[in-house]
Amino acid sequence: MSTQVLIEAPGVHRLAPHTPRDPGPGEALVRVHAVGICGSDREVYQGNRPEGYVRYPLTPGHEWSGTVEQVGAGVPASLVHRKVVGEGFRNCQVCDRCHAGETTLCGAGYEETGFTQPGAMAPTLTLPARLLHPLPDAADLTAAALLEPAACIAAAALKANARPGERVAVVGTGTLGMFAVQFLRANSPSELLVVGTRRDREALSRQFGATHFRTKDDDLPGGFDVVIETAGSADAARTAAALLRRGGRLVLTGIPAPGADGLDPTDLVVRQLEVHTVFGAPPDAWAHTVRVFAAGLLDPLPLVTHELPLAEFPHAIELVGSGDPKVGKVLLRP
């Protein structure tokens, strides 16, 4: 009997029987290859997810890759057997934000795979086929399981609009930070600084294209054209803003706990800083991510440190929150 992870309430989970759901009109059934765990999955399990952004009981899993096994009416049969990844936000497609391509701001309210809709911590996942992004036949599905967080950073990179020769920086050295380094490197910067809290991340940062590395306790330079913040720590936004030149561009992706140091509005106005924020990834960011991945410009595999069976979900959650520097991206394999 196949099983899925089911979180019945905060702190309460079990392995439940899983029966694939046949796809209805416009849907596809995907055989899940791997599913990643991030901090938001830990929030779901612990009950720390903000109200309205989770619905129990729930099968989690929003970072995944797989292969299409079956499609419903109205979906091209050519999609069957294709390797795919998929968007998480279940947008309405008819509001003004959806028509503008800003599906993460859908006016119909928040619905997302793995949070309010069944996720991929199961052998199969049935979802709207319009959310799927086909991959090249030779794509590594283990690496592709990380394309959801990569797409969130692609959204940040597109907003940052870094140009060749600019000085760019990344604040944060986790999975998102390492993806930010790779996206910014592809724009041929004159300098790419990474700022983190862990000196042991320097080698990987340089492997992905960083030219300089500092910890936030070092004397930090200024004058950067673009900074992408991925840390989500209490002072990360202020650290990122301080790196910028007058008129520089800042993109915030981290979500700190309540009580974090906010940006100084006087500083923003006087220095005319351009500030953007990102929550999730709209379709153009997903398409950009898949193109960059297919071109070999995005390498997620060095970030994966653990691959575990689905039954070890509790251990995987513990690993993600352990703070162990040897723990990178944790994948479950249904």
Side-chain angles (χ1 to χ4, degrees), residues 202-292:
E202 179 173 3
L204 189 59
S205 298
R206 291 186 180 275
Q207 176 183 328
F208 286 141
T211 59
H212 298 81
F213 184 93
R214 299 283 189 277
T215 69
K216 66 177 187 177
D217 295 325
D218 296 331
D219 289 332
L220 298 179
F224 286 85
D225 300 284
V226 168
V227 178
I228 296 179
E229 178 276 324
T230 69
S233 58
D235 58 355
R238 281 184 177 256
T239 298
L243 294 169
L244 287 166
R245 64 166 172 80
R246 290 169 61 88
R249 306 187 296 283
L250 172 63
V251 186
L252 304 175
T253 72
I255 303 178
D261 292 334
L263 296 175
D264 180 355
T266 300
D267 179 57
L268 297 181
V269 172
V270 171
R271 292 204 290 144
Q272 297 185 56
L273 299 182
E274 183 178 322
V275 181
H276 298 273
T277 60
V278 166
F279 177 62
D284 64 336
W286 273 96
H288 181 59
T289 300
V290 170
R291 284 195 302 268
V292 173

Coordinates of all heavy atoms in Angstrom, one line a residue, residues 202-292:
E202 N 31.6 30.2 2.4 CA 32.3 31.0 1.5 C 32.7 30.1 0.3 O 32.6 30.6 -0.9 CB 33.6 31.5 2.1 CG 34.4 32.3 1.2 CD 35.6 33.0 1.8 OE1 35.8 32.9 3.0 OE2 36.3 33.8 1.1
A203 N 33.2 28.9 0.5 CA 33.7 28.1 -0.7 C 32.5 27.8 -1.6 O 32.7 27.9 -2.9 CB 34.2 26.8 -0.1
L204 N 31.3 27.5 -1.1 CA 30.2 27.2 -2.0 C 29.8 28.5 -2.7 O 29.4 28.5 -3.9 CB 29.0 26.6 -1.2 CG 27.9 26.1 -2.0 CD1 28.3 25.0 -3.0 CD2 26.8 25.6 -1.1
S205 N 29.8 29.6 -2.0 CA 29.4 30.9 -2.6 C 30.4 31.2 -3.8 O 29.9 31.6 -4.9 CB 29.5 32.0 -1.6 OG 28.6 31.8 -0.5
R206 N 31.6 31.0 -3.6 CA 32.6 31.3 -4.7 C 32.4 30.2 -5.8 O 32.6 30.6 -7.0 CB 34.0 31.3 -4.1 CG 34.3 32.4 -3.2 CD 35.8 32.5 -2.8 NE 36.1 33.6 -1.9 CZ 36.4 34.9 -2.3 NH1 36.4 35.1 -3.6 NH2 36.6 35.8 -1.5
Q207 N 32.1 29.0 -5.5 CA 31.9 28.0 -6.5 C 30.7 28.4 -7.4 O 30.8 28.2 -8.6 CB 31.5 26.7 -5.9 CG 31.1 25.6 -6.8 CD 30.7 24.3 -6.1 OE1 31.2 24.0 -5.0 NE2 29.8 23.5 -6.7
F208 N 29.7 29.1 -6.9 CA 28.6 29.5 -7.6 C 28.8 30.9 -8.3 O 27.9 31.3 -9.1 CB 27.3 29.6 -6.8 CG 26.7 28.3 -6.4 CD1 26.2 28.0 -5.1 CD2 26.7 27.2 -7.3 CE1 25.7 26.8 -4.8 CE2 26.2 26.0 -7.0 CZ 25.6 25.8 -5.8
G209 N 29.9 31.5 -8.1 CA 30.2 32.8 -8.8 C 30.5 34.0 -8.0 O 30.8 35.1 -8.6
A210 N 30.5 33.9 -6.7 CA 30.8 35.1 -5.8 C 32.2 35.5 -6.0 O 33.1 34.6 -6.1 CB 30.5 34.8 -4.4
T211 N 32.5 36.8 -6.1 CA 33.9 37.3 -6.2 C 34.4 37.7 -4.8 O 35.6 37.7 -4.6 CB 33.9 38.5 -7.1 OG1 33.1 39.5 -6.6 CG2 33.5 38.1 -8.5
H212 N 33.5 38.0 -3.9 CA 33.9 38.4 -2.5 C 32.9 37.8 -1.5 O 31.8 37.6 -1.8 CB 33.9 39.9 -2.3 CG 34.9 40.6 -3.2 ND1 34.6 40.9 -4.6 CD2 36.2 41.0 -3.0 CE1 35.7 41.5 -5.1 NE2 36.6 41.6 -4.2
F213 N 33.4 37.6 -0.3 CA 32.6 37.0 0.8 C 32.9 37.8 2.1 O 34.0 38.0 2.4 CB 32.8 35.5 1.0 CG 31.9 34.9 2.0 CD1 30.7 34.3 1.6 CD2 32.2 34.9 3.3 CE1 29.9 33.7 2.5 CE2 31.4 34.3 4.3 CZ 30.2 33.7 3.8
R214 N 31.8 38.1 2.8 CA 32.0 38.8 4.1 C 30.9 38.2 5.1 O 29.9 37.8 4.6 CB 31.8 40.3 4.0 CG 32.7 41.0 3.1 CD 34.1 41.2 3.7 NE 34.9 42.1 2.9 CZ 35.6 41.8 1.9 NH1 35.6 40.5 1.5 NH2 36.3 42.6 1.2
T215 N 31.2 38.2 6.3 CA 30.2 38.0 7.3 C 29.7 39.3 7.7 O 30.3 40.4 7.5 CB 30.7 37.2 8.6 OG1 31.6 38.1 9.3 CG2 31.5 35.9 8.2
K216 N 28.5 39.3 8.3 CA 27.9 40.6 8.7 C 28.6 41.3 9.8 O 28.3 42.5 10.1 CB 26.4 40.4 9.0 CG 26.1 39.6 10.3 CD 24.6 39.6 10.5 CE 24.3 38.9 11.9 NZ 22.9 38.9 12.2
D217 N 29.5 40.6 10.5 CA 30.4 41.2 11.5 C 31.6 41.9 11.0 O 32.3 42.6 11.7 CB 30.8 40.2 12.5 CG 29.6 39.6 13.3 OD1 28.6 40.3 13.5 OD2 29.6 38.4 13.6
D218 N 31.9 41.7 9.7 CA 33.0 42.4 9.0 C 32.6 43.8 8.7 O 31.4 44.2 8.7 CB 33.4 41.6 7.7 CG 33.9 40.2 8.0 OD1 34.5 40.0 9.1 OD2 33.8 39.4 7.1
D219 N 33.6 44.6 8.4 CA 33.3 45.9 7.8 C 32.8 45.7 6.4 O 33.5 45.2 5.5 CB 34.6 46.8 7.8 CG 35.0 47.2 9.2 OD1 34.2 47.3 10.0 OD2 36.3 47.4 9.4
L220 N 31.6 46.2 6.1 CA 30.9 45.9 4.8 C 31.1 47.1 3.9 O 30.9 48.3 4.4 CB 29.5 45.6 5.0 CG 29.2 44.3 5.9 CD1 27.7 44.1 6.0 CD2 29.8 43.1 5.2
P221 N 31.4 46.9 2.7 CA 31.5 48.0 1.7 C 30.1 48.5 1.3 O 29.1 47.9 1.6 CB 32.2 47.3 0.6 CG 31.8 45.9 0.6 CD 31.7 45.6 2.1
G222 N 30.1 49.6 0.7 CA 28.9 50.1 0.1 C 29.0 50.4 -1.4 O 29.9 49.9 -2.0
G223 N 28.1 51.1 -1.9 CA 28.1 51.5 -3.3 C 27.6 50.4 -4.3 O 27.9 50.5 -5.5
F224 N 26.9 49.4 -3.9 CA 26.4 48.4 -4.8 C 25.1 48.9 -5.5 O 24.3 49.6 -5.0 CB 26.1 47.1 -4.0 CG 27.3 46.4 -3.6 CD1 28.0 46.7 -2.4 CD2 27.8 45.4 -4.4 CE1 29.1 46.0 -2.1 CE2 29.0 44.7 -4.1 CZ 29.7 45.1 -2.9
D225 N 25.0 48.4 -6.8 CA 23.9 48.8 -7.6 C 22.6 48.0 -7.2 O 21.5 48.5 -7.2 CB 24.2 48.6 -9.1 CG 25.4 49.4 -9.5 OD1 25.2 50.6 -9.7 OD2 26.5 48.8 -9.7
V226 N 22.8 46.7 -6.9 CA 21.7 45.8 -6.7 C 22.1 44.9 -5.5 O 23.2 44.4 -5.4 CB 21.5 44.9 -7.9 CG1 20.5 43.7 -7.6 CG2 20.9 45.7 -9.1
V227 N 21.1 44.7 -4.6 CA 21.2 43.8 -3.5 C 19.9 42.9 -3.4 O 18.8 43.5 -3.4 CB 21.5 44.5 -2.1 CG1 21.6 43.4 -1.0 CG2 22.7 45.3 -2.2
I228 N 20.1 41.6 -3.3 CA 19.0 40.7 -3.1 C 19.2 40.1 -1.7 O 20.2 39.5 -1.4 CB 18.9 39.6 -4.1 CG1 18.7 40.2 -5.5 CG2 17.9 38.6 -3.8 CD1 18.6 39.1 -6.6
E229 N 18.2 40.3 -0.9 CA 18.2 39.8 0.5 C 17.4 38.5 0.6 O 16.2 38.5 0.1 CB 17.6 40.9 1.5 CG 17.5 40.4 2.9 CD 16.3 39.6 3.2 OE1 15.2 39.9 2.6 OE2 16.4 38.7 4.0
T230 N 18.0 37.5 1.2 CA 17.3 36.2 1.3 C 17.4 35.6 2.7 O 16.8 34.5 2.9 CB 18.0 35.2 0.3 OG1 19.4 34.9 0.9 CG2 18.1 35.7 -1.1
A231 N 18.0 36.3 3.6 CA 18.2 35.7 5.0 C 17.0 35.7 5.8 O 16.8 34.7 6.6 CB 19.3 36.5 5.7
G232 N 16.1 36.7 5.8 CA 15.0 36.7 6.7 C 15.3 36.9 8.1 O 14.4 36.7 9.0
S233 N 16.5 37.3 8.5 CA 16.8 37.5 9.9 C 16.3 38.9 10.3 O 15.9 39.7 9.5 CB 18.3 37.4 10.1 OG 19.0 38.3 9.3
A234 N 16.4 39.2 11.6 CA 15.8 40.4 12.1 C 16.5 41.7 11.5 O 15.8 42.7 11.4 CB 16.0 40.5 13.6
D235 N 17.8 41.6 11.2 CA 18.5 42.8 10.7 C 18.9 42.7 9.3 O 19.6 43.6 8.8 CB 19.7 43.1 11.6 CG 20.7 41.9 11.6 OD1 20.4 40.9 11.1 OD2 21.8 42.1 12.2
A236 N 18.4 41.7 8.6 CA 18.9 41.5 7.2 C 18.5 42.6 6.2 O 19.3 43.0 5.4 CB 18.3 40.1 6.7
A237 N 17.3 43.1 6.4 CA 16.9 44.2 5.5 C 17.7 45.4 5.6 O 18.1 46.0 4.6 CB 15.4 44.5 5.7
R238 N 18.0 45.8 6.9 CA 18.9 47.0 7.1 C 20.3 46.7 6.6 O 20.9 47.6 6.0 CB 18.9 47.4 8.6 CG 17.7 48.1 9.0 CD 17.8 48.5 10.5 NE 16.6 49.3 10.9 CZ 16.6 50.6 11.0 NH1 17.7 51.3 10.8 NH2 15.5 51.3 11.5
T239 N 20.8 45.5 6.8 CA 22.2 45.2 6.3 C 22.2 45.3 4.8 O 23.1 45.9 4.2 CB 22.6 43.8 6.7 OG1 22.6 43.7 8.2 CG2 23.9 43.4 6.1
A240 N 21.2 44.8 4.1 CA 21.1 44.9 2.7 C 21.0 46.3 2.2 O 21.7 46.7 1.2 CB 19.9 44.0 2.2
A241 N 20.2 47.1 2.8 CA 20.0 48.5 2.3 C 21.3 49.3 2.5 O 21.6 50.2 1.7 CB 18.9 49.1 3.1
A242 N 22.1 49.0 3.6 CA 23.3 49.7 3.8 C 24.3 49.5 2.8 O 25.3 50.3 2.6 CB 23.8 49.4 5.2
L243 N 24.2 48.4 2.0 CA 25.2 48.1 1.0 C 25.0 48.9 -0.3 O 25.9 49.0 -1.1 CB 25.1 46.6 0.6 CG 25.5 45.6 1.7 CD1 25.1 44.1 1.2 CD2 27.0 45.6 2.0
L244 N 23.8 49.5 -0.4 CA 23.5 50.1 -1.7 C 24.1 51.5 -1.9 O 24.2 52.3 -0.9 CB 22.0 50.2 -1.8 CG 21.2 48.9 -2.1 CD1 19.7 49.1 -1.8 CD2 21.5 48.4 -3.5
R245 N 24.3 51.8 -3.1 CA 24.6 53.2 -3.5 C 23.3 54.0 -3.5 O 22.2 53.5 -3.4 CB 25.2 53.2 -4.9 CG 24.3 52.8 -6.0 CD 24.8 53.1 -7.4 NE 24.0 52.6 -8.5 CZ 22.9 53.0 -8.9 NH1 22.3 54.1 -8.4 NH2 22.2 52.4 -9.9
R246 N 23.5 55.3 -3.6 CA 22.3 56.2 -3.8 C 21.6 55.8 -5.1 O 22.2 55.6 -6.1 CB 22.7 57.6 -3.8 CG 23.2 58.2 -2.5 CD 23.8 59.6 -2.7 NE 22.8 60.6 -3.2 CZ 22.0 61.3 -2.4 NH1 22.0 61.1 -1.1 NH2 21.2 62.1 -3.0
G247 N 20.3 55.6 -5.0 CA 19.5 55.2 -6.2 C 19.6 53.7 -6.5 O 19.1 53.2 -7.5
G248 N 20.2 52.9 -5.6 CA 20.4 51.5 -5.8 C 19.0 50.7 -5.7 O 18.0 51.3 -5.2
R249 N 19.1 49.4 -6.1 CA 17.9 48.6 -6.1 C 18.0 47.5 -5.1 O 18.9 46.7 -5.2 CB 17.7 48.1 -7.5 CG 17.7 49.2 -8.6 CD 17.3 48.8 -10.0 NE 18.3 47.8 -10.6 CZ 19.4 48.1 -11.1 NH1 19.9 49.4 -11.0 NH2 20.2 47.2 -11.7
L250 N 16.9 47.3 -4.3 CA 16.9 46.3 -3.2 C 15.7 45.4 -3.4 O 14.6 45.9 -3.7 CB 16.8 47.0 -1.9 CG 16.6 46.1 -0.6 CD1 17.7 45.1 -0.4 CD2 16.4 47.0 0.6
V251 N 15.9 44.1 -3.3 CA 14.8 43.2 -3.4 C 14.8 42.3 -2.1 O 15.8 41.6 -1.9 CB 14.9 42.2 -4.6 CG1 13.6 41.4 -4.7 CG2 15.0 43.1 -5.9
L252 N 13.7 42.3 -1.4 CA 13.6 41.6 -0.1 C 12.8 40.3 -0.4 O 11.7 40.4 -0.9 CB 12.9 42.4 0.9 CG 13.6 43.8 1.3 CD1 12.7 44.5 2.3 CD2 15.0 43.6 1.8
T253 N 13.3 39.2 0.0 CA 12.6 37.9 -0.1 C 12.4 37.2 1.3 O 11.6 36.3 1.4 CB 13.3 36.9 -1.0 OG1 14.5 36.4 -0.4 CG2 13.7 37.6 -2.3
G254 N 13.2 37.5 2.3 CA 13.1 36.9 3.6 C 11.9 37.4 4.3 O 11.5 38.5 4.2
I255 N 11.3 36.5 5.2 CA 10.2 36.9 6.1 C 10.7 36.7 7.5 O 10.7 35.6 8.1 CB 9.0 36.0 5.8 CG1 8.6 36.1 4.3 CG2 7.8 36.4 6.7 CD1 7.4 35.2 3.9
P256 N 11.1 37.8 8.1 CA 11.6 37.7 9.5 C 10.5 37.5 10.5 O 9.3 37.8 10.2 CB 12.3 39.0 9.7 CG 11.6 40.0 8.8 CD 11.2 39.1 7.6
A257 N 10.8 37.1 11.7 CA 9.9 37.0 12.8 C 9.4 38.4 13.2 O 10.1 39.4 12.9 CB 10.5 36.3 14.0
P258 N 8.2 38.5 13.8 CA 7.7 39.9 14.3 C 8.8 40.6 15.2 O 9.5 39.9 15.9 CB 6.5 39.5 15.1 CG 6.0 38.2 14.5 CD 7.2 37.5 14.1
G259 N 8.9 41.9 15.0 CA 9.8 42.7 15.8 C 11.1 42.9 15.1 O 12.0 43.5 15.7
A260 N 11.2 42.6 13.8 CA 12.5 42.8 13.1 C 12.7 44.3 12.9 O 11.8 45.1 12.9 CB 12.4 42.1 11.7
D261 N 14.0 44.6 12.7 CA 14.3 46.0 12.4 C 13.8 46.4 11.0 O 14.2 45.8 10.0 CB 15.9 46.2 12.4 CG 16.4 46.0 13.8 OD1 15.7 46.3 14.8 OD2 17.6 45.7 13.9
G262 N 13.0 47.4 11.0 CA 12.5 47.9 9.7 C 13.5 48.8 8.9 O 14.4 49.3 9.5
L263 N 13.2 49.0 7.7 CA 14.0 50.0 6.9 C 13.6 51.4 7.4 O 12.5 51.7 7.7 CB 13.7 49.8 5.4 CG 14.1 48.5 4.8 CD1 13.6 48.4 3.3 CD2 15.6 48.3 4.9
D264 N 14.6 52.2 7.4 CA 14.5 53.6 7.8 C 13.9 54.4 6.6 O 14.5 54.6 5.6 CB 15.8 54.2 8.1 CG 15.8 55.6 8.6 OD1 14.7 56.2 8.5 OD2 16.8 56.2 9.0
P265 N 12.6 54.9 6.7 CA 12.0 55.6 5.6 C 12.7 56.9 5.2 O 12.8 57.2 4.0 CB 10.6 55.9 6.1 CG 10.7 55.8 7.6 CD 11.7 54.8 7.9
T266 N 13.4 57.5 6.2 CA 14.2 58.7 5.8 C 15.3 58.3 4.9 O 15.6 59.0 3.9 CB 14.7 59.4 7.1 OG1 13.6 59.8 7.9 CG2 15.5 60.6 6.7
D267 N 16.0 57.2 5.3 CA 17.1 56.7 4.5 C 16.6 56.4 3.1 O 17.3 56.7 2.0 CB 17.8 55.5 5.1 CG 18.9 55.0 4.4 OD1 19.9 55.7 4.1 OD2 18.9 53.8 4.0
L268 N 15.5 55.7 3.0 CA 15.0 55.3 1.7 C 14.7 56.5 0.8 O 15.0 56.5 -0.4 CB 13.7 54.5 1.8 CG 13.7 53.2 2.6 CD1 12.4 52.5 2.6 CD2 14.8 52.2 2.0
V269 N 14.1 57.5 1.4 CA 13.8 58.7 0.6 C 15.0 59.5 0.2 O 15.2 59.9 -1.0 CB 12.8 59.6 1.4 CG1 12.5 60.9 0.6 CG2 11.5 58.9 1.5
V270 N 15.9 59.8 1.2 CA 17.0 60.6 0.9 C 18.0 60.0 -0.1 O 18.5 60.7 -0.9 CB 17.8 60.9 2.2 CG1 19.1 61.6 2.0 CG2 16.9 61.8 3.2
R271 N 18.1 58.7 0.0 CA 19.0 58.0 -1.0 C 18.3 57.5 -2.2 O 18.8 56.9 -3.1 CB 19.7 56.8 -0.3 CG 20.7 57.3 0.8 CD 21.8 56.2 1.0 NE 21.3 55.0 1.7 CZ 21.7 53.8 1.4 NH1 22.5 53.5 0.5 NH2 21.1 52.8 2.1
Q272 N 16.9 57.7 -2.2 CA 16.1 57.4 -3.4 C 16.3 55.9 -3.8 O 16.5 55.5 -4.9 CB 16.4 58.3 -4.6 CG 16.1 59.7 -4.4 CD 16.3 60.5 -5.6 OE1 15.7 60.3 -6.7 NE2 17.1 61.6 -5.5
L273 N 16.2 55.0 -2.7 CA 16.4 53.6 -3.0 C 15.1 53.0 -3.6 O 14.0 53.4 -3.2 CB 16.7 52.9 -1.7 CG 18.0 53.3 -1.0 CD1 18.2 52.5 0.3 CD2 19.2 53.2 -1.9
E274 N 15.3 52.1 -4.5 CA 14.2 51.4 -5.1 C 14.1 50.0 -4.4 O 15.0 49.2 -4.5 CB 14.5 51.2 -6.6 CG 13.4 50.6 -7.4 CD 13.8 50.5 -8.9 OE1 14.4 51.4 -9.4 OE2 13.5 49.4 -9.5
V275 N 12.9 49.8 -3.8 CA 12.7 48.6 -3.0 C 11.6 47.8 -3.5 O 10.5 48.2 -3.8 CB 12.4 49.0 -1.5 CG1 12.2 47.7 -0.7 CG2 13.5 49.8 -0.9
H276 N 11.9 46.5 -3.7 CA 10.9 45.5 -4.2 C 10.8 44.4 -3.2 O 11.8 44.1 -2.4 CB 11.3 44.9 -5.6 CG 11.3 45.9 -6.6 ND1 10.2 46.3 -7.4 CD2 12.3 46.7 -7.1 CE1 10.6 47.2 -8.3 NE2 11.9 47.4 -8.2
T277 N 9.7 43.7 -3.2 CA 9.5 42.5 -2.3 C 9.0 41.3 -3.2 O 8.4 41.6 -4.2 CB 8.6 42.7 -1.2 OG1 7.3 43.1 -1.7 CG2 9.1 43.8 -0.2
V278 N 9.3 40.1 -2.7 CA 8.8 38.9 -3.5 C 8.2 37.9 -2.5 O 8.8 37.6 -1.4 CB 10.0 38.3 -4.2 CG1 9.7 36.9 -4.7 CG2 10.5 39.1 -5.4
F279 N 7.0 37.4 -2.9 CA 6.4 36.3 -2.1 C 5.9 35.3 -3.1 O 4.9 35.5 -3.8 CB 5.2 36.8 -1.3 CG 4.5 35.7 -0.5 CD1 5.2 35.0 0.4 CD2 3.2 35.5 -0.8 CE1 4.5 34.0 1.1 CE2 2.5 34.5 -0.1 CZ 3.1 33.7 0.9
G280 N 6.7 34.2 -3.3 CA 6.3 33.2 -4.3 C 6.8 33.6 -5.7 O 7.6 34.6 -5.9
A281 N 6.4 32.8 -6.7 CA 6.9 33.0 -8.0 C 5.8 33.0 -9.0 O 5.0 32.0 -9.1 CB 7.9 32.0 -8.4
P282 N 5.6 34.1 -9.8 CA 4.6 34.1 -10.9 C 5.1 33.3 -12.1 O 6.3 32.9 -12.2 CB 4.5 35.6 -11.2 CG 5.8 36.2 -10.9 CD 6.3 35.4 -9.7
P283 N 4.2 33.1 -13.1 CA 4.6 32.3 -14.3 C 5.9 32.7 -15.0 O 6.7 31.8 -15.4 CB 3.4 32.4 -15.2 CG 2.2 32.7 -14.2 CD 2.8 33.5 -13.2
D284 N 6.1 34.0 -15.1 CA 7.3 34.4 -15.9 C 8.6 34.0 -15.2 O 9.6 33.7 -15.8 CB 7.3 35.9 -16.2 CG 7.3 36.8 -15.0 OD1 6.9 36.3 -13.9 OD2 7.7 38.0 -15.1
A285 N 8.6 34.1 -13.8 CA 9.7 33.7 -13.1 C 10.0 32.1 -13.2 O 11.1 31.7 -13.3 CB 9.6 34.0 -11.6
W286 N 8.9 31.4 -13.2 CA 9.0 29.9 -13.4 C 9.6 29.6 -14.8 O 10.5 28.8 -14.9 CB 7.6 29.3 -13.3 CG 7.3 28.9 -11.9 CD1 6.5 29.6 -11.0 CD2 7.7 27.7 -11.2 NE1 6.5 28.9 -9.8 CE2 7.1 27.7 -9.9 CE3 8.5 26.6 -11.5 CZ2 7.3 26.7 -8.9 CZ3 8.7 25.6 -10.6 CH2 8.1 25.6 -9.3
A287 N 9.1 30.3 -15.8 CA 9.5 30.0 -17.2 C 11.0 30.4 -17.3 O 11.8 29.7 -17.9 CB 8.7 30.8 -18.2
H288 N 11.4 31.5 -16.7 CA 12.8 31.9 -16.7 C 13.7 30.9 -16.0 O 14.8 30.6 -16.5 CB 12.9 33.3 -16.0 CG 14.3 33.9 -15.9 ND1 15.0 34.1 -17.1 CD2 15.1 34.2 -14.9 CE1 16.2 34.6 -16.8 NE2 16.3 34.7 -15.4
T289 N 13.2 30.4 -14.8 CA 14.0 29.4 -14.1 C 14.2 28.1 -14.9 O 15.3 27.6 -14.9 CB 13.3 29.0 -12.8 OG1 13.1 30.2 -12.0 CG2 14.0 28.0 -12.0
V290 N 13.2 27.6 -15.5 CA 13.3 26.4 -16.3 C 14.3 26.6 -17.5 O 15.1 25.8 -17.8 CB 11.9 26.0 -16.8 CG1 12.0 24.8 -17.8 CG2 11.1 25.5 -15.6
R291 N 14.2 27.8 -18.1 CA 15.1 28.1 -19.2 C 16.6 28.1 -18.7 O 17.5 27.5 -19.4 CB 14.8 29.4 -19.9 CG 13.6 29.4 -20.8 CD 13.5 30.7 -21.7 NE 13.5 31.9 -20.9 CZ 12.4 32.5 -20.5 NH1 11.2 31.9 -20.8 NH2 12.4 33.6 -19.8
V292 N 16.8 28.8 -17.6 CA 18.2 28.9 -17.1 C 18.7 27.5 -16.6 O 19.8 27.2 -16.9 CB 18.2 29.9 -15.9 CG1 19.5 29.9 -15.2 CG2 17.9 31.3 -16.4

